[in-house]
Amino acid sequence: MVARWFLKEDLQKYHGKDHWFPLQPVCADSEVQGMVHLELRLSEVITDSGVVCHKLATRVLECQDLPIVNNQCDPYAAVSLLGSSRSFYFFSQVTKPLSYTKRQFDVEEDDVDKLALKVDLWNASNLKFGDEFLGEVRVPLKVLGQSGVHDAWYFLQPRDNGNKSVKADELGSLRLNIVYTEDHVFPTEHYNPLRDLLLQSAHIEPVSASAAHILGEVCREKQEAAVPLVRLFLHYGKIVPFLSAIAHAEISRTQDPNTIFRGNSLTSKCIDETMKLAGMHYLRVTLKPIIDEICTDHKPCEIDPVKLKESENLDANRENLRQYVDRIFNVITSSGVSCPTVMGDIFFSLRESAASRFEVDPDVRYTAVSSFIFLRFFAPAILSPNLFQLRPHHPDPHTSRTLTLISKTIQTLGSLAKSKSANFKESYMAAFYDYFNEQKYADAVKNFLDLISSSARWDQKSIETPIMLKEGFMIKRAQGRNRFGLKNFKSRWFRLTNHEFTYHKTKGVCCSSVSAVVFLQMFQVIQPERALYIQANNCVEARDWIDILTKVSQCNRKRLSTYHPSAFLNGHWLCCKLSADSAPGCTPCTGGLPANIQLDVDGDRETERIYSLYSTYMAKLVKMQEACGSKSVYDGPEQEEYSTFVIDDPQETYKTLRLVISAVQTLEQQHMQYKRDKFRKTKYGSQEHPIGDQSFQCYIRQQSESSTYSI
């Protein structure tokens, strides 16, 4: 077995870089973890013969983080003295306070500092292979000093077996890209200036002069900036206005509607990250059942004649693949009501901005949304389900090929491209796509895109034609009448669109907006002027209605926060006995669909990570300031070294940069003060920093080499 180990202090050196690392041999003695608390006491004693010699008493006080071996850990210690010795008493007290061993060595007084104590920890095992080695510690006796007492924690170290070293080229090398982060998070008040600057980004004109947009400009990879920004804005409920602002700015700079969001911009990376966080549940309920089936059944779906196996039939494979594509396409296009509200809000904004920018292109409102929901969400999840938590492992090559073919087809269906054959380099894919070259597929995509990009706003002007969500006959019971009576129950045709919920005998008597939906034996639809009690034909039909109505009511700005779980009969509510039919509800409404985002985000930690990025790219912040000055003073061609920055308003951008740099420098001072205080107060060898903590040793060396501190 071979492996590669890294010291903690080495990880930062390789952060974000590809590097080849030589492999090293692995044995049981090199795999150690945990730490041990030792106490050493050196004193003089007079022997029975009257000779004065030294006594070394060793105690193993405590261990932590030892590994569990075969579901148990029964450790013991073996203590030994290393070095030439004469005339020396050695006491080792290991487990029980009254249990110790006594050994005598001969040692000259001047030789004590040349000795070392070795403590080996073992796990007592009943297996025939013997006890397992847990780690060792070597302590030079010179640490005892004048006091003769040493009390410290140590990291356990691997055992040196004296094996001959193996040349690196004999074992090979491993290419790794390491991403390492270490956060030291202050109390929330330390981050107020920087956090406020970031959260104001959506309201800065132009948005390219905002703190968040500037972060995307200076980071080497847009993804670096997108991850903490999205989490921070989601945490404070400001993700939609921020993404709307940067998306609108990017669309305004786009000249060709066919290239909207095609690059790896800050907008596209932020929306990608938002969909990953908000849409995981949505993916699971939509795709996971059929993805699991594909991975389990292993049906042959290869349609490339060159790759076809002798035992396979091309037509049968095409039919298998067609059925899979059809089923996935149908579950996607019928999943609009399950789309998380935050994603719907973002898609609504993208649609409106794109339609406003390219008024002559009727399809741009669809392609602006499909470029994310199909190209960057569903298609990648089908292609690599393990990366989206749909499968525990990467699919086998056979299944992976099937998923690749499905993903390509779904991506093309969602793109609404004019020329389908032009989307495929392979002739067999173009031929297969003929199965789906029907208007019903394009209509289904458009209806789906209309729903997920318009239902998030209760705005009847946002779309020309209402989208039908569900309709059918149900029994309506009027509110406030006697419990019995045929006039109380009427069969009505109910119709729900993304605009309104109506019922009628033959044609529309429109109801008001839905304020809440409550499931009783019947289900209750609460409206501003009254409540309706409705009974569906069966429980499955009732659940479908409730799911869709609940989704639609999430978007109602006047949605109720409380409701009455029982009926209003005989002049009072049965639940709380209040006599007014307009009395406020007595029970809180639920928070909404499980598809809506629920994140455990530490806003201070995300702000700290953003600070770290600003600090890392401080040189670029300064250069961007120079670019603002150059653009303000000089007219004409932009200098090449500044051409990578997007600067729409040099004065506003410079103003924000000055505030960002000031906030970052203040945090740097606070971090430096914290490190100084920590260095002064922390004892090397304490439980917090055991001996063997290489990163702390490096820190001590750095501090001891620096005679002054800059604030």
Side-chain angles (χ1 to χ4, degrees):
M1 180 182 290
V2 293
R4 173 69 198 189
W5 292 274
F6 296 94
L7 293 175
K8 181 181 176 183
E9 67 273 12
D10 289 337
L11 292 175
Q12 185 62 38
K13 299 177 185 177
Y14 303 110
H15 170 68
K17 301 175 184 176
D18 282 346
H19 194 83
W20 285 98
F21 297 96
L23 294 173
Q24 301 168 348
V26 174
C27 64
D29 290 348
S30 65
E31 292 289 310
V32 300
Q33 71 177 60
M35 50 189 183
V36 59
H37 187 188
L38 300 179
E39 181 189 77
L40 280 64
R41 290 183 179 272
L42 182 65
S43 58
E44 291 184 347
V45 295
I46 301 176
T47 64
D48 295 339
S49 60
V51 178
V52 177
C53 64
H54 293 91
K55 180 182 79 169
L56 176 64
T58 306
R59 298 178 64 198
V60 179
L61 300 174
E62 186 181 357
C63 294
Q64 280 195 356
D65 302 327
L66 297 180
I68 303 298
V69 182
N70 297 320
N71 296 320
Q72 60 95 30
C73 185
D74 185 13
Y76 67 89
V79 185
S80 56
L81 194 66
L82 305 178
S84 59
S85 56
R86 284 178 294 170
S87 184
F88 197 96
Y89 275 103
F90 174 45
F91 291 80
S92 62
Q93 186 171 312
V94 182
T95 51
K96 298 179 182 179
L98 299 179
S99 173
Y100 61 87
T101 59
K102 177 179 178 181
R103 299 179 63 187
Q104 180 174 348
F105 301 90
D106 293 327
V107 62
E108 297 292 341
E109 183 174 354
D110 294 340
D111 292 337
V112 172
D113 288 347
K114 300 178 183 179
L115 301 177
L117 184 76
K118 185 172 75 128
V119 179
D120 292 322
L121 286 183
W122 296 81
N123 178 56
S125 173
N126 296 323
L127 300 177
K128 62 181 180 179
F129 304 108
D131 297 345
E132 292 92 359
F133 176 75
L134 299 179
E136 73 173 24
V137 171
R138 298 190 181 205
V139 184
L141 294 192
K142 62 183 179 181
V143 300
L144 293 167
Q146 296 295 324
S147 66
V149 178
H150 179 66
D151 184 318
W153 284 85
Y154 285 83
F155 275 121
L156 292 174
Q157 303 295 329
R159 181 167 55 180
D160 182 8
N161 288 322
N163 293 336
K164 294 182 179 180
S165 60
V166 181
K167 293 182 179 179
D169 55 1
E170 294 180 4
L171 298 177
S173 298
L174 187 67
R175 184 184 180 187
L176 297 176
N177 186 299
I178 296 175
V179 177
Y180 173 78
T181 58
E182 181 177 342
D183 301 319
H184 298 273
V185 183
F186 288 127
T188 188
E189 60 270 13
H190 289 72
Y191 299 105
N192 286 339
L194 181 58
R195 183 173 52 240
D196 291 346
L197 270 176
L198 291 163
L199 295 179
Q200 292 168 6
S201 294
H203 309 293
I204 299 297
E205 291 288 346
V207 72
S208 60
S210 67
H213 194 278
I214 287 172
L215 181 66
E217 289 296 297
V218 299
C219 284
R220 186 178 63 177
E221 301 290 341
K222 303 295 185 186
Q223 185 71 15
E224 283 184 290
V227 173
L229 284 176
V230 165
R231 295 177 69 86
L232 180 72
F233 280 98
L234 277 171
H235 179 67
Y236 288 100
K238 296 182 180 292
I239 189 66
V240 175
F242 169 64
L243 291 181
S244 299
I246 61 174
H248 182 77
E250 181 171 334
I251 291 173
S252 299
R253 290 190 292 267
T254 304
Q255 301 302 317
D256 185 353
N258 295 317
T259 62
I260 285 184
F261 302 124
R262 291 298 175 89
N264 291 322
S265 63
L266 180 65
T267 304
S268 60
K269 289 298 184 183
C270 283
I271 295 178
D272 287 352
E273 189 65 23
T274 303
M275 290 192 299
K276 286 180 182 178
L277 292 172
M280 282 303 177
H281 177 81
Y282 180 32
L283 280 178
R284 282 195 292 271
V285 299
T286 305
L287 292 182
K288 191 175 186 343
I290 190 168
I291 294 293
D292 287 342
E293 181 183 328
I294 293 170
C295 293
T296 303
D297 291 352
H298 295 284
K299 287 184 179 181
C301 295
E302 182 57 68
I303 59 174
D304 183 357
V306 177
K307 297 181 179 180
L308 202 67
K309 296 180 180 179
E310 292 184 2
S311 59
E312 294 178 353
N313 180 275
L314 183 60
D315 291 336
N317 287 10
R318 282 176 177 164
E319 180 59 22
N320 289 339
L321 184 61
R322 185 194 66 78
Q323 290 182 10
Y324 279 146
V325 171
D326 247 339
R327 289 175 58 192
I328 289 182
F329 179 82
N330 288 332
V331 298
I332 289 175
T333 53
S334 61
S335 69
V337 295
S338 300
C339 182
T341 303
V342 67
M343 289 172 60
D345 289 343
I346 294 166
F347 295 149
F348 173 83
S349 177
L350 297 180
R351 169 197 179 110
E352 294 297 299
S353 293
S356 175
R357 174 72 173 86
F358 301 101
E359 296 180 356
V360 297
D361 189 336
D363 288 335
V364 73
R365 66 180 186 179
Y366 297 115
T367 56
V369 178
S370 67
S371 63
F372 286 103
I373 193 68
F374 280 101
L375 181 64
R376 298 173 179 267
F377 188 64
F378 283 122
I382 296 168
L383 184 64
S384 303
N386 56 303
L387 300 181
F388 290 80
Q389 302 174 20
L390 299 179
R391 295 289 296 176
H393 307 291
H394 186 73
D396 61 79
H398 174 85
T399 305
S400 182
R401 174 63 176 167
T402 298
L403 295 175
T404 299
L405 296 171
I406 295 171
S407 179
K408 283 185 175 182
T409 311
I410 292 296
Q411 180 177 321
T412 306
L413 280 167
S415 69
L416 295 172
K418 300 293 190 300
S419 174
K420 301 302 181 184
S421 60
N423 289 283
F424 299 108
K425 297 178 181 178
E426 309 91 344
S427 58
Y428 61 85
M429 284 299 300
F432 173 70
Y433 198 83
D434 287 339
Y435 286 119
F436 308 97
N437 212 358
E438 300 180 31
Q439 188 59 36
K440 67 176 183 179
Y441 290 100
D443 292 341
V445 170
K446 288 184 177 181
N447 286 338
F448 169 69
L449 296 175
D450 275 336
L451 178 56
I452 65 173
S453 63
S454 65
S455 64
R457 288 285 185 271
W458 197 267
D459 180 4
Q460 298 189 16
K461 297 179 181 179
S462 66
I463 183 171
E464 294 81 0
T465 305
I467 303 167
M468 175 62 63
L469 300 178
K470 191 172 180 62
E471 58 184 346
F473 277 109
M474 291 190 291
I475 305 297
K476 177 187 75 70
R477 178 188 181 279
Q479 176 64 291
R481 296 190 178 181
N482 294 329
R483 186 187 298 267
F484 303 105
L486 291 177
K487 290 183 179 180
N488 242 1
F489 299 91
K490 303 289 184 180
S491 177
R492 293 289 184 264
W493 181 260
F494 286 84
R495 186 173 184 268
L496 177 65
T497 72
N498 61 314
H499 289 173
E500 59 189 6
F501 181 47
T502 62
Y503 66 89
H504 44 82
K505 295 178 182 178
T506 55
K507 282 190 177 181
V509 177
C510 180
C511 294
S512 302
S513 58
V514 180
S515 299
V517 183
V518 184
F519 182 69
L520 305 169
Q521 290 182 342
M522 308 171 78
F523 64 88
Q524 183 187 76
V525 178
I526 303 172
Q527 300 169 296
E529 68 278 2
R530 59 178 171 171
L532 294 176
Y533 286 87
I534 305 171
Q535 182 175 345
N537 294 327
N538 54 64
C539 61
V540 176
E541 186 77 6
R543 177 50 57 190
D544 287 344
W545 276 104
I546 290 169
D547 286 344
I548 296 177
L549 284 165
T550 302
K551 172 67 177 178
V552 172
S553 69
Q554 297 293 316
C555 313
N556 188 352
R557 295 187 181 92
K558 297 181 180 179
R559 184 175 183 268
L560 296 179
S561 58
T562 59
Y563 72 101
H564 293 283
S566 298
F568 183 82
L569 288 175
N570 301 324
H572 66 273
W573 290 98
L574 298 181
C575 48
C576 59
K577 308 304 180 183
L578 292 176
S579 58
D581 60 357
S582 60
C586 58
T587 303
C589 289
T590 56
L593 296 181
N596 287 336
I597 185 170
Q598 298 291 334
L599 277 183
D600 183 16
V601 174
D602 185 338
D604 295 335
R605 185 173 187 179
E606 301 307 326
T607 310
E608 169 65 27
R609 288 178 174 175
I610 292 172
Y611 149 75
S612 298
L613 289 173
Y614 278 132
S615 182
T616 300
Y617 296 105
M618 179 58 72
K620 280 194 172 184
L621 289 173
V622 173
K623 182 171 283 189
M624 198 170 182
Q625 273 190 320
E626 296 172 358
C628 291
S630 174
K631 200 165 185 178
S632 298
V633 175
Y634 300 104
D635 294 328
E638 191 173 25
Q639 295 185 36
E640 185 176 351
E641 62 176 325
Y642 302 143
S643 60
T644 57
F645 299 125
V646 174
I647 301 175
D648 296 320
D649 187 326
Q651 286 79 17
E652 279 296 319
T653 306
Y654 187 89
K655 176 182 174 182
T656 304
L657 281 165
R658 183 166 51 81
L659 294 173
V660 167
I661 292 174
S662 174
V664 170
Q665 289 176 338
T666 300
L667 281 169
E668 283 180 345
Q669 293 170 6
Q670 293 168 347
H671 275 286
M672 184 60 71
Q673 183 65 47
Y674 168 78
K675 289 179 180 179
R676 289 204 308 273
D677 293 344
K678 181 179 179 182
F679 174 67
R680 291 176 184 139
K681 296 176 182 178
T682 302
K683 177 185 176 184
Y684 188 48
S686 64
Q687 189 173 0
E688 292 76 17
H689 292 285
I691 296 174
D693 184 347
Q694 299 296 325
S695 62
F696 191 70
Q697 282 182 310
C698 291
Y699 176 68
I700 287 178
R701 287 197 299 271
Q702 292 169 4
Q703 294 294 329
S704 61
E705 292 167 1
S706 176
S707 58
T708 60
Y709 301 98
S710 59
I711 293 296

